[in-house]
Amino acid sequence: MNLDDLTRTGGEWLKGSGPESDIVMCSRIRLARNLATYPFINRASRGERADIEREFRTALTDANLDLSYIDVNSLPKLDRQFLVERQLISREHDNAEGPRGVAIGPEENVSVLINEEDHLRIQVMQSGLSLPDVWERINRLDDQIEEQLTYAFSPQLGYLTACPTNVGTGIRVGVMLHLPALVHTKQIDKVFRALHKINLAVRGLYGEGTQAFGDFYQISNQQTLGKSETELIKNLSDVVPQIISYERQARKAMIEERRQVLHDRVSRAYGVLKTAHTISSEETMLLLSDVRMGINLGLIDDLEIPTVNELFIHTQPAHLQKLQGRPLEVDDRNIARASYLRSRLANGKHTD
Amino acid sequence: MPDDPPDLPLDTVVQGLIVAHVGELVGDLARRVCPLCGMKFMEFRISGRLGCPNDYLAFDHGLLPLLRRSHDGVTRHVGKTPRRLPSPEATESLRLRAQLRQAVACEDYEEAARLRDRLRPLPKDATR
């Protein structure tokens, strides 16, 4: 697979389609699996990691899956960072050493990570709130891969994982939510406290320990043992509509009580993005977040959500450098980012 | 004048302190080693990552309270079951691999070659 082919496109999960997609950017499920006959990654020698990688590559080929394999170990740092920005590999996978890889499906809905924290991490994403569809898809994929291999599994504890916080189902069910109104009205902490109480985790856009940016948050389960996959999916699916309704209430209140102030804020954000000549990644995220909400509230009518979703990713450092075709220092990146934004937002229309 | 403190590696000192302050059960646990991968329970407590699937058996007493805390008090799997379950040969395979890593570390290449030969047919047997 040629990474440059990906540069000018966006994954399906950025399409802005599917239920509740004004607030739910995408639904995601990942499964953790390990081979029964090898030690976990932190105990495995380089040779064993190479053997594990080979076993999975053979299994993926034998299962006849429509996936393209990328040898992450031989990728330059910039390309690895590019895959992180697209949500196809984790930061941990980027920063690891030794034999490892990722198999990516068409439309970037599927990514299968080999030799991450576990031997295998399968991830399926889809735009909008669609967890049952995502589960159906990942469950089938898991079955297809499993036909070729034997996983570490105990009847008492389920799928055995390198970290005991993932043991059992090995499942992480998550939704990525855009919650600008709850952030602006300072109600977001209250929502997070309530989620922690019912054992759900809140993370930023790029996973564990990363700051939420652009008002995007991932909500996911923490418990993986003692409940079935479908129960864990239902737990999350029951809670998400409540958060969506809080966000909608907060948006409604903002527009009813302070329409001019909100409209001004959104228009200024749009204006800066269309005209700036140098702009940082952080400022871009903040302003794109306002613009995204503005479109959803009908305050901006000449820009589409998929364009904005894509700009969140394409204005990240590695993407900008790939688009420009050369490495850039921070100052040059800020100039390149502003220039890219001006060209994409020219005349207020979606331009490629 | 007091004697100089003995010249111990830091992790030995830390382990000693933990055993001294947290009690005998933890002390027992702390010294527990997985016979298949050589991981010590104390190493797991420091890194948060286990060494091999057998650690769940080797450290069961230490892991159960942690599992309860992470998983809402429940320690029994009720989800998906793979069609193929690991056979006892899988455990043997883990043991041979640990011996192989040890042999390579000691530069005993004759032993390493012998272990590699024994390992070669095993994964297939274990998965059929």
Side-chain angles (χ1 to χ4, degrees):
Chain A
M1 172 180 256
N2 183 356
L3 287 190
D4 294 334
D5 294 342
L6 293 181
T7 309
R8 282 170 202 288
T9 64
E12 187 279 339
W13 62 277
L14 291 169
K15 288 264 154 59
S17 56
E20 317 284 7
S21 59
D22 55 333
I23 292 172
V24 184
M25 177 88 127
C26 72
S27 303
R28 155 156 56 185
I29 299 181
R30 75 112 167 97
L31 298 174
R33 302 287 186 250
N34 289 276
L35 295 174
T37 53
Y38 288 87
F40 293 137
I41 293 299
N42 69 340
R43 217 59 179 176
S45 66
R46 205 185 165 85
E48 284 170 330
R49 291 184 202 197
D51 289 345
I52 294 166
E53 187 188 21
R54 201 173 315 117
E55 293 222 14
F56 277 116
R57 285 197 70 171
T58 309
L60 294 177
T61 309
D62 292 351
N64 256 325
L65 300 168
D66 186 11
L67 300 172
S68 312
Y69 193 78
I70 297 173
D71 175 5
V72 173
N73 194 35
S74 68
L75 282 186
K77 175 74 186 164
L78 183 64
D79 286 350
R80 299 201 306 269
Q81 201 185 330
F82 172 81
L83 293 175
V84 172
E85 289 174 3
R86 286 184 99 80
Q87 308 267 335
L88 293 169
I89 68 171
S90 60
R91 279 177 194 238
E92 190 167 350
H93 206 51
D94 163 17
N95 293 323
E97 281 179 3
R100 64 196 191 283
V102 60
I104 297 170
E107 296 198 289
E108 299 176 45
N109 286 102
V110 175
S111 68
V112 180
L113 279 71
I114 299 172
N115 289 346
E116 207 239 23
E117 181 183 299
D118 293 292
H119 296 161
L120 192 74
R121 290 271 175 110
I122 311 172
Q123 169 183 274
V124 173
M125 291 194 284
Q126 200 166 303
S127 63
L129 182 59
S130 51
L131 287 170
D133 288 351
V134 174
W135 167 243
E136 197 179 304
R137 198 161 172 188
I138 199 169
N139 191 26
R140 195 167 57 233
L141 184 59
D142 183 43
D143 287 345
Q144 286 169 306
I145 300 173
E146 182 210 292
E147 293 220 349
Q148 320 291 326
L149 306 152
T150 305
Y151 288 140
F153 182 90
S154 107
Q156 156 88 30
L157 291 176
Y159 291 93
L160 303 177
T161 50
C163 183
T165 55
N166 295 317
V167 78
T169 53
I171 198 172
R172 188 77 71 224
V173 185
V175 286
M176 196 193 293
L177 303 174
H178 187 222
L179 304 173
L182 287 175
V183 174
H184 289 182
T185 57
K186 301 190 168 52
Q187 299 175 77
I188 196 87
D189 288 336
K190 210 167 66 188
V191 175
F192 291 169
R193 278 198 297 275
L195 290 172
H196 283 300
K197 269 190 196 144
I198 53 170
N199 227 349
L200 295 176
V202 182
R203 298 192 181 89
L205 185 51
Y206 289 105
E208 263 167 270
T210 63
Q211 284 277 308
F213 70 50
D215 304 320
F216 283 102
Y217 296 91
Q218 290 184 63
I219 318 285
S220 61
N221 65 304
Q222 307 215 63
Q223 186 181 354
T224 55
L225 180 65
K227 284 204 168 88
S228 71
E229 291 83 355
T230 41
E231 279 177 283
L232 291 166
I233 289 164
K234 186 174 182 302
N235 280 358
L236 198 76
S237 304
D238 286 349
V239 171
V240 171
Q242 292 178 47
I243 307 173
I244 293 174
S245 116
Y246 291 145
E247 170 67 20
R248 285 204 210 289
Q249 280 168 30
R251 289 183 185 188
K252 191 161 173 264
M254 278 168 78
I255 205 151
E256 279 172 5
E257 290 158 25
R258 294 179 298 145
R259 188 185 175 94
Q260 296 311 323
V261 175
L262 184 65
H263 202 158
D264 181 69
R265 174 181 181 136
V266 165
S267 303
R268 279 169 191 269
Y270 194 21
V272 169
L273 290 171
K274 282 200 283 193
T275 55
H277 280 257
T278 169
I279 189 164
S280 71
S281 181
E282 294 74 21
E283 188 180 4
T284 305
M285 297 298 131
L286 282 171
L287 299 179
L288 282 173
S289 179
D290 282 343
V291 166
R292 193 179 189 279
M293 179 170 65
I295 299 171
N296 284 326
L297 291 175
L299 300 173
I300 294 175
D301 58 8
D302 61 354
L303 187 63
E304 287 166 1
I305 286 289
T307 308
V308 180
N309 288 351
E310 211 172 279
L311 287 175
F312 275 106
I313 305 300
H314 284 190
T315 56
Q316 299 284 312
H319 270 78
L320 275 182
Q321 294 173 76
K322 295 284 284 180
L323 284 165
Q324 300 282 320
R326 63 195 167 94
L328 300 168
E329 294 299 317
V330 176
D331 287 349
D332 290 332
R333 282 208 300 268
N334 291 344
I335 293 168
R337 182 176 295 112
S339 157
Y340 179 68
L341 283 163
R342 288 199 312 276
S343 75
R344 287 293 303 265
L345 299 172
N347 313 316
K349 291 291 174 197
H350 176 181
T351 51
D352 283 313
Chain B
M1 196 159 158
D3 291 343
D4 282 342
D7 192 14
L8 291 172
L10 186 62
D11 55 347
T12 313
V13 175
V14 172
Q15 283 190 31
L17 282 172
I18 291 174
V19 172
H21 290 279
V22 191
E24 208 178 343
L25 177 66
V26 176
D28 266 356
L29 268 172
R31 282 189 292 271
R32 214 173 255 214
V33 180
C34 169
L36 298 193
C37 72
M39 175 74 97
K40 297 190 188 94
F41 185 71
M42 189 52 73
E43 287 176 276
F44 157 68
R45 290 300 274 151
I46 292 163
S47 73
R49 303 284 184 276
L50 293 163
C52 81
N54 189 66
D55 288 4
Y56 281 94
L57 280 175
F59 306 146
D60 56 352
H61 288 303
L63 283 174
L64 275 178
L66 295 179
L67 291 175
R68 272 191 211 107
R69 219 173 304 148
S70 299
H71 302 290
D72 207 19
V74 198
T75 56
R76 179 146 208 104
H77 176 58
V78 293
K80 186 172 178 175
T81 299
R83 245 166 293 171
R84 208 178 304 180
L85 295 177
S87 66
E89 282 89 348
T91 309
E92 184 53 22
S93 201
L94 286 173
R95 193 189 313 276
L96 289 173
R97 280 188 203 288
Q99 288 170 2
L100 174 59
R101 287 195 299 279
Q102 187 66 31
V104 171
C106 301
E107 299 185 18
D108 184 350
Y109 298 116
E110 218 172 290
E111 173 71 358
R114 193 184 67 80
L115 288 163
R116 251 185 225 113
D117 284 343
R118 286 187 62 192
L119 261 169
R120 206 155 285 140
L122 259 175
K124 267 219 159 68
D125 288 352
T127 56
R128 296 287 174 246

